[in-house]
Amino acid sequence: MKEQTEDLFLPVTSLKGVGAKTAESLASLGINSVYDLLFYFPFRYDDLETLPLDQIMDGQKVLLKGIVTTEPFVSHFGYRKSRLSFKMRIDHEVIMVNFFNQAWLKKSIETGAEIAIYGKYNVVRQSLSGYKVVAQKEEDKDLMPIYSVNKHIKQKKLQSLIDLAIGADLTLIKDTVPLELRRKYRLMTDQEIITNLHHPQDSNSAKLARRSAIFREFFLFQVQLAQIVNQRDSHLQGISKKYDLEAVKDLITSLPFELSQDQKKVVNEIYADMHEPIQMHRLLQGDVGSGKTVVAVFAIYAAITAGFQATLMVPTEILAQQHFNKIDSILRPLGVRVALLTGTTKELEKQEIYRELKDGTINVVVGTHALIQPKVEFKDLGLVIIDEQHRFGVNQRSELVAKGDNPDILAMTATPIPRTLALTVYGDMAVSEIHTLPNGRKPIESQWVTSNHLDRVLIKMRQQLEAGFQIYVVTPLISESEKSDLKNAEDLHKKIAEYFSDYNVALLHGQMKGDDKNDIMSEFVQGNINILVTTSVIEVGVDVPNANMMIIFNAERFGLSQLHQLRGRIGRGQTASYCFFVSDPKNEEAKRRMEIISTTSDGFELAQEDLKLRGEGDVFGKAQSGLPQFKTGDVVTNYNTLVVAKKEARNLINDDPNLEKEENHFLKKVIQYTNKLQND
Ligand code: ADP
Ligand code: MG
């Protein structure tokens, strides 16, 4: 018999009869350990009540019980398709039952036997399209759990694996939420949550279990956050940066433009923080193109004149390259050494950067995750800036910060974060906002066109090209691994290159090598490429003011926030700019999105709309790990729970900062496990 809590966190293959292949299928759902399996909850339940035939609506999913009256018959059609059919008598009526591609069921269906089948009912044909034969055991229950699955694993299989885990390891589950809190808020224990969500007795207990699971999930997250804050506050003193105001004035005069009102305000806020002998924790929020990078340059330069080093971490190679170019071009003339460090930096060069960071020769390093490597050491890191910070995990951030002696921290984001979310995730940061666009900026003219009006777009494209401007053509690539999507981009590139054969048309996509991407980007920046056909890799922060037109194909396949981010690549110069959303939306929701994006340019408003239409998980994208992806809870609808969980988590950590008390032992284990996941 197993006794060790650690066993819970073992790979699913530790379960009897689970092999590598099943483990692989489960991994595609994000399930790696026994623990993950137990906490993979159904997203809804289907009611397994049987209804009289005349009360069933067309297309309704129901459980029907009856007697098999004809021998099941299998017919084959199409390519490897089959239909298993038989008649079933329910009271005095006879209906037809069909199972598609489940010919193997034949042996379990006996003429004359009573059977219960769950499926979709067609009133006109009086037929049931069967989903599954319900075993006696399940039939007794009212609710059938429905899990989110994919092509690698079926409902039934997943369900049986979860049951296997429950049978083997449930007793290893202790309590995450302390007893006192469970009493106070009337919450179930972890074991109760698991049994009641996977096998609810009735809808009431399922509801209670879900409520408890939501609290538990928020609580776990908030405890982690509270621990980070706690560690931070215990050595909050930062170092006062005595920056050189005269030097900063030189920076101001060296810029080709004047800072906007909001930029000035924000720079002042940052400088005030840096001057205080307290570690700065500031979030700079500003729509795409609002000029955050320049603000970052002011922060960096101040830190350097005060005798410190600075670093800027960004989520992608392209961005790193681009920020490096910009910062280098502004600061190098002022005598600052700027370096670029990414995954594709050559080994020799890396060694040199490591050395010069350590001895202080390099003043500021711009880079990607490569900055987190243990080999990266600073002489005196005084300022850490993280761009698009929601794309990084909490731990990645703190690892970079740990390379300095309580350095000041500035996070920047262009994703307008709805206030509800900002309150929770960034609750511990001071917030600076840039609302005004830089002076002289003209709003982008946005238009939604259906594909039969493409000629209009093509005419406009030619006009713009003739006037010497550059163009982005964006095609959706929902998952970088989808071959068909990549082919779309390639086909589109070919067509456009043929149509505009007198211009230089290039293709950029996520599957290209880092070097190739950088080459294409720098050719585009230099104006040697006229049209850049690209996937959403172009999304964040790319800055080419001469590119003032964008055409987004199949725009309905993007979310509002993403469309807004994409559009933000243009409208960066002093000239008028144009964005065309090419789309033939197939449903109302998609149509609505096209209407909103083509008439609204305010990122904050769009984020709210997006949140309404899709829920928070999708707005920020699954990959953006810095924002917690809550599985059970929803930060909008369960906001109050989130607030309570936060308060209680704080109390707990104040009371037991390192979770050393016996009763918090399991909580600590779970946190260690989830932390580890984030770091991988
Ligand atoms: P963000 O990072 O917020 O998306 P950037 O810092 O990249 O925006 O700025 C977008 C563009 O606007 C850049 O080309 C930048 O040089 C320019 N810019 C920034 N501030 C100003 C300003 N005050 N006046 C004119 N142009 C500006
Ligand atoms: Mg930026």
Side-chain angles (χ1 to χ4, degrees):
M1 214 185 91
K2 293 197 240 174
E3 282 167 20
Q4 294 298 311
T5 302
E6 273 71 14
D7 288 356
L8 259 187
F9 305 111
L10 288 178
V12 284
T13 45
S14 69
L15 288 168
K16 218 173 157 193
V18 176
K21 203 149 167 262
T22 304
E24 214 172 285
S25 317
L26 287 171
S28 72
L29 293 175
I31 300 172
N32 296 300
S33 64
V34 178
Y35 173 89
D36 296 342
L37 201 50
L38 289 169
F39 283 94
Y40 195 84
F41 296 135
F43 67 96
R44 68 176 165 88
Y45 302 91
D46 274 349
D47 216 336
L48 277 194
E49 242 174 334
T50 51
L51 288 173
L53 279 181
D54 59 4
Q55 278 180 30
I56 300 171
M57 287 184 303
D58 193 36
Q60 191 175 351
K61 288 176 191 156
V62 285
L63 177 73
L64 291 180
K65 251 190 272 183
I67 307 284
V68 181
T69 58
T70 62
E71 183 78 12
F73 176 78
V74 177
S75 54
H76 293 272
F77 63 98
Y79 177 68
R80 284 189 172 175
K81 292 192 181 122
S82 74
R83 176 173 49 222
L84 169 79
S85 324
F86 57 91
K87 287 185 179 160
M88 171 161 110
R89 192 182 71 218
I90 302 169
D91 298 332
H92 298 291
E93 308 226 37
V94 173
I95 68 161
M96 195 70 198
V97 179
N98 299 304
F99 278 94
F100 291 94
N101 303 324
Q102 297 187 55
W104 45 268
L105 279 177
K106 187 174 186 327
K107 58 181 183 306
S108 58
I109 296 163
E110 272 174 61
T111 318
E114 176 162 277
I115 193 168
I117 295 166
Y118 178 72
K120 189 166 155 182
Y121 191 65
N122 184 315
V123 170
V124 181
R125 294 206 198 119
Q126 288 210 316
S127 70
L128 183 72
S129 178
Y131 292 159
K132 64 185 273 188
V133 177
V134 179
Q136 199 61 35
K137 185 170 110 261
E138 296 171 62
E139 183 200 338
D140 292 339
K141 282 180 266 131
D142 282 335
L143 300 170
M144 180 161 78
I146 307 290
Y147 298 90
S148 154
V149 288
N150 59 24
K151 61 175 188 240
H152 302 295
I153 190 157
K154 293 215 165 67
Q155 284 290 340
K156 203 165 180 164
K157 170 92 180 169
L158 178 62
Q159 213 168 341
S160 70
L161 288 166
I162 289 171
D163 286 345
L164 185 66
I166 292 178
D169 286 322
L170 187 67
T171 52
L172 297 179
I173 298 272
K174 303 288 179 263
D175 286 321
T176 327
V177 179
L179 175 65
E180 190 194 330
L181 292 180
R182 276 190 283 111
R183 285 218 179 109
K184 185 166 167 189
Y185 300 106
R186 285 171 295 122
L187 302 168
M188 289 181 172
T189 64
D190 282 11
Q191 287 194 13
E192 286 167 339
I193 291 174
I194 291 170
T195 31
N196 281 290
L197 279 179
H198 293 300
H199 296 290
Q201 292 303 314
D202 49 49
S203 62
N204 224 12
S205 59
K207 225 183 267 170
L208 206 64
R210 187 161 302 273
R211 184 174 153 267
S212 307
I214 291 170
F215 185 93
R216 180 190 184 276
E217 187 178 31
F218 286 159
F219 185 72
L220 265 175
F221 173 73
Q222 295 292 354
V223 167
Q224 293 184 51
L225 211 60
Q227 276 189 311
I228 290 168
V229 173
N230 194 59
Q231 276 163 22
R232 182 181 96 196
D233 288 353
S234 64
H235 51 94
L236 191 69
Q237 308 99 299
I239 296 161
S240 168
K241 312 273 175 334
K242 307 227 166 11
Y243 52 85
D244 180 346
L245 206 58
E246 287 309 310
V248 170
K249 280 182 185 155
D250 291 342
L251 170 58
I252 294 173
T253 47
S254 79
L255 289 178
F257 47 75
E258 204 191 323
L259 292 185
S260 70
Q261 279 311 316
D262 281 1
Q263 281 173 322
K264 284 183 194 161
K265 182 195 71 188
V266 171
V267 168
N268 280 327
E269 286 167 350
I270 292 171
Y271 279 12
D273 281 358
M274 289 175 75
H275 198 76
E276 289 287 313
I278 291 176
Q279 190 180 25
M280 169 168 78
H281 285 273
R282 189 166 282 280
L283 171 70
L284 171 54
Q285 204 175 333
D287 212 342
V288 277
S290 61
K292 296 184 294 301
T293 313
V294 181
V295 171
V297 170
F298 273 86
I300 290 169
Y301 193 52
I304 292 169
T305 66
F308 293 88
Q309 290 167 297
T311 185
L312 168 64
M313 182 163 75
V314 301
T316 67
E317 291 266 346
I318 291 180
L319 263 184
Q321 178 73 48
Q322 183 190 289
H323 275 99
F324 167 76
N325 292 344
K326 177 149 254 167
I327 294 170
D328 190 52
S329 74
I330 300 177
L331 291 183
R332 201 213 302 239
L334 299 171
V336 173
R337 269 286 306 275
V338 189
L340 172 68
L341 181 67
T342 70
T344 59
T345 306
K346 300 270 173 331
E347 195 50 42
L348 263 176
E349 203 181 326
K350 264 189 199 161
Q351 298 303 337
E352 195 174 328
I353 292 176
Y354 294 152
R355 207 170 45 243
E356 297 191 342
L357 276 174
K358 204 170 169 181
D359 70 18
T361 319
I362 293 173
N363 304 109
V364 46
V365 61
V366 178
T368 55
H369 297 86
L371 291 169
I372 302 175
Q373 299 301 313
K375 282 184 187 155
V376 178
E377 292 173 72
F378 291 83
K379 178 154 180 268
D380 203 350
L381 178 63
L383 173 69
V384 170
I385 305 181
I386 300 176
D387 196 15
E388 298 301 333
Q389 89 140 358
H390 55 278
R391 293 212 168 189
F392 295 100
V394 174
N395 296 307
Q396 292 175 319
R397 210 186 328 161
S398 43
E399 274 173 58
L400 186 57
V401 169
K403 292 183 188 292
D405 180 11
N406 298 337
D408 287 326
I409 303 166
L410 176 67
M412 307 200 291
T413 179
T415 309
I417 297 161
R419 291 203 192 280
T420 46
L421 223 48
L423 256 176
T424 41
V425 184
Y426 301 109
D428 307 291
M429 297 194 125
V431 179
S432 289
E433 291 181 353
I434 304 182
H435 290 287
T436 51
L437 287 185
N439 311 330
R441 214 46 94 56
K442 295 196 178 59
I444 301 165
E445 283 182 35
S446 294
Q447 210 178 325
W448 162 29
V449 291
T450 51
S451 50
N452 53 353
H453 287 112
L454 209 56
D455 46 338
R456 247 194 256 161
V457 180
L458 292 171
I459 290 168
K460 189 75 198 168
M461 281 175 82
R462 196 167 284 284
Q463 277 174 9
Q464 290 296 99
L465 289 170
E466 279 166 6
F469 295 116
Q470 291 158 279
I471 301 177
Y472 294 104
V473 173
V474 182
T475 167
L477 191 85
I478 298 309
S479 111
E480 292 283 347
S481 57
E482 287 288 337
K483 277 219 178 75
S484 57
D485 278 343
L486 187 57
K487 186 150 184 314
N488 266 348
E490 282 164 352
D491 288 351
L492 190 64
H493 169 246
K494 218 170 117 197
K495 274 188 209 146
I496 290 176
E498 271 166 25
Y499 191 86
F500 293 104
S501 57
D502 38 347
Y503 289 98
N504 196 358
V505 183
L507 176 65
L508 178 75
H509 62 77
Q511 279 176 39
M512 295 167 65
K513 286 211 196 74
D515 278 349
D516 296 344
K517 275 193 247 184
N518 289 340
D519 287 350
I520 291 190
M521 251 351 267
S522 63
E523 288 288 301
F524 190 65
V525 171
Q526 285 163 34
N528 299 333
I529 291 170
N530 306 97
I531 302 178
L532 186 65
V533 178
T534 171
T535 61
S536 40
V537 287
I538 206 72
E539 195 181 340
V540 229
V542 172
D543 184 30
V544 184
N546 189 53
N548 65 2
M549 182 173 188
M550 176 176 283
I551 299 100
I552 305 178
F553 281 88
N554 294 102
E556 77 284 348
R557 289 179 64 182
F558 293 105
L560 280 175
S561 292
Q562 205 181 6
L563 287 171
H564 182 63
Q565 293 274 326
L566 287 168
R567 177 171 60 183
R569 298 309 107 224
I570 59 168
R572 298 183 152 245
Q574 306 294 316
T575 56
S577 50
Y578 308 90
C579 189
F580 288 94
F581 301 96
V582 183
S583 171
D584 308 306
K586 303 242 162 9
N587 60 48
E588 279 307 309
E589 198 252 53
K591 202 173 144 196
R592 173 104 188 99
R593 259 186 289 136
M594 291 307 106
E595 283 163 1
I596 295 172
I597 190 71
S598 56
T599 53
T600 312
S601 61
D602 183 290
F604 196 82
E605 203 180 317
L606 285 168
Q608 291 289 12
E609 289 287 345
D610 216 6
L611 199 62
K612 268 194 244 158
L613 287 172
R614 303 195 301 162
E616 94 278 2
D618 288 338
V619 172
F620 299 100
K622 297 276 182 267
Q624 305 183 352
S625 55
L627 280 181
Q629 295 299 319
F630 294 114
K631 289 184 191 138
T632 321
D634 177 303
V635 295
V636 180
T637 50
N638 309 120
Y639 183 63
N640 292 334
T641 309
L642 187 52
V643 173
V644 174
K646 179 170 185 153
K647 187 186 82 188
E648 297 295 358
R650 282 285 168 81
N651 290 342
L652 182 88
I653 291 304
N654 283 339
D655 179 48
D656 184 12
N658 298 313
L659 299 176
E660 269 152 3
K661 291 191 176 169
E662 177 67 31
E663 73 240 43
N664 296 328
H665 189 76
F666 184 69
L667 174 61
K668 186 173 186 164
K669 283 274 178 315
V670 171
I671 286 179
Q672 276 168 354
Y673 174 67
T674 42
N675 249 331
K676 187 178 156 300
L677 283 184
Q678 281 192 21
N679 286 329
D680 286 349

